[in-house]
Every structure is written in structure tokens, then in C-alpha cells.
Amino acid sequence: AQSVTQLDSQVPVFEEAPVELRCNYSSSVSVYLFWYVQYPNQGLQLLLKYLSGSTLVKGINGFEAEFNKSQTSFHLRKPSVHISDTAEYFCAVSVRGSSNTGKLIFGQGTTLQVKP
Amino acid sequence: KAGVTQTPRYLIKTRGQQVTLSCSPISGHRSVSWYQQTPGQGLQFLFEYFSETQRNKGNFPGRFSGRQFSNSRSEMNVSTLELGDSALYLCASSWGQATNEKLFFGSGTQLSVL
């Protein structure tokens, strides 16, 4: 079975400061890795995904994440946050195979609070 | 291009009733999946449909069911509602059959069971 652990439930940070949201996963098979963002009263939006290849993945809104296979981590980073980045962030994995289509296993989420 | 549309946006029901939620995927998308989001359990996968066939199912009781129509629109039904079914139900669509595909989420239906 797969599981995802987001190590921080809340991360407060001041505007224009850097931020890192931590994610670790557990799986006995190869997985794809995702970060989604959820703004208040909205659905989830994909920030970035890691499928294969370069371990540094760049996404939308200036976010990037690094896949570390040995540490089974996929931490999300942004060098300078804005007030508009305040939202809940979810790390997720999916397993290869048509029987798993549409199925994402999510972490519990990290609330990013950007303060002026 | 219109996004994923879920109706209704809010719903209030009482215990024992049944409810049907609707999801219209992005035009051309053939896969629709459903998720339940609660503060305690987070986001949990309910089921996924592709070309009117349920291909994958999460660990939920049989009271939760769904279907997909030939136009890819999907409905999910919850019978004999319990207080614990109060949640945000999210629908997501994607084009095809790959597990590495980006999911496009709707804004959800907020169900309150009294």
C-alpha cells in the first residue's frame, strides 16, 4: 500500500520569504508524484508533477519540487512567496497501472499562511 | 473551455435520506473520478469511471455508488445518509487512461447531513 505524509500541518511565513513544504511517501512500487493547491472554496489545481527524468521539477506560479528517491521525499519550494499563495497544499502519489487510473493518494495537506 | 462543473454547490440532508450529486467533466475528457474531503480523513478516493465503466473503487461502503453516462457526465449517489457523510465531494476529470495524467477538479458539492 502507498501512503503520503506531509510533515507540517501549517506553515506561517512572511511575504517575500522562501518556503519549503515537506512531503514523504511510502510505496513498494514505482509511483508518480504530484503537488496540488486548493484555494478557499475551490477545487484542487495541479502545481507540478514528477513522472521520470530530472529530479527537479518546475511548476506554475514559481513553485518547484525535488524528488529524492533515497529519502522518498518530494518537497515543494518557492524562493519568494506572495500573499496570494495562501492556500492549502496537497502532496499526492499515483501508482502505475490502468486499475489505478484516477486514483490519487493524498497527504493530509499543509496550510501555507503568508503574512504581510 | 469550460471546467469541471459540479451541481449542486451546497446540499443539506437529514440522516436516512439519499442524495445524488452530479459532475460534468471537461469536454473531451472520458475519465471521471470522485473524492471525499473531510477535515478528519482528508481527501479519499471514492471511485473512477471511464467510458461508462467503473474501473477503480476506494474503500467506502456500498451505500456509495456512481455511474457514468455516454456523454461522460457522472453522478454519485449516497443512500441512507449518516452524519459522517458530511463532506466536500470533489469530482475530477482527465482525458484518458494513464495514472500520470493531470486531474482537473471541480469546486465540489458541500454536503451537510443533519
Side-chain angles (χ1 to χ4, degrees):
Chain A
Q2 294 71 42
S3 67
V4 178
T5 302
Q6 292 184 239
L7 298 163
D8 306 292
S9 58
Q10 293 189 4
V11 173
V13 63
F14 286 104
E15 194 173 18
E16 297 184 7
V19 70
E20 177 180 81
L21 306 184
R22 299 180 294 165
C23 172
N24 286 97
Y25 70 94
S26 173
S27 177
S28 58
V29 297
S30 294
V31 295
Y32 300 118
L33 295 155
F34 305 80
W35 275 98
Y36 280 83
V37 61
Q38 185 176 32
Y39 299 102
N41 300 314
Q42 294 186 28
L44 281 73
Q45 177 184 1
L46 180 69
L47 278 176
L48 47 80
K49 61 181 179 179
Y50 174 77
L51 306 181
S52 63
S54 173
T55 58
L56 183 63
V57 180
K58 293 191 183 298
I60 63 170
N61 301 340
F63 284 93
E64 63 180 33
E66 184 152 22
F67 170 59
N68 187 317
K69 188 175 182 179
S70 63
Q71 297 186 6
T72 60
S73 67
F74 190 53
H75 299 336
L76 181 71
R77 300 185 184 100
K78 186 170 183 178
S80 176
V81 295
H82 302 290
I83 294 287
S84 59
D85 292 323
T86 296
E88 187 144 20
Y89 292 78
F90 292 94
C91 181
V93 302
S94 70
V95 176
R96 294 172 187 257
S98 60
S99 64
N100 295 303
T101 309
K103 180 178 181 179
L104 289 172
I105 298 153
F106 285 93
Q108 285 294 99
T110 297
T111 301
L112 176 62
Q113 301 163 322
V114 182
K115 303 176 181 181
Chain B
K1 203 172 191 182
V4 177
T5 303
Q6 291 188 246
T7 56
R9 186 72 179 91
Y10 301 95
L11 208 47
I12 300 174
K13 292 286 187 179
T14 56
R15 280 184 301 171
Q17 287 187 310
Q18 67 113 22
V19 67
T20 300
L21 312 181
S22 179
C23 172
S24 293
I26 289 173
S27 178
H29 284 192
R30 298 165 67 190
S31 170
V32 173
S33 49
W34 289 88
Y35 289 81
Q36 181 195 64
Q37 185 176 21
T38 60
Q41 299 298 316
L43 282 152
Q44 294 186 286
F45 173 78
L46 281 156
F47 27 65
E48 187 257 355
Y49 288 86
F50 184 88
S51 293
E52 301 178 66
T53 300
Q54 185 184 91
R55 293 195 299 184
N56 200 1
K57 191 176 189 303
N59 189 26
F60 278 82
R63 300 184 297 106
F64 291 81
S65 63
R67 59 178 175 168
Q68 187 181 34
F69 302 96
S70 58
N71 61 358
S72 293
R73 191 178 70 85
S74 178
E75 289 181 347
M76 68 163 280
N77 184 278
V78 188
S79 62
T80 320
L81 284 165
E82 300 177 0
L83 295 178
D85 297 334
S86 294
L88 179 66
Y89 290 88
L90 292 166
C91 165
S93 74
S94 63
W95 186 83
Q97 307 184 54
T99 55
N100 62 359
E101 286 191 43
K102 172 181 178 179
L103 297 186
F104 292 80
F105 284 82
S107 297
T109 293
Q110 183 68 54
L111 173 64
S112 298
V113 182
L114 306 178

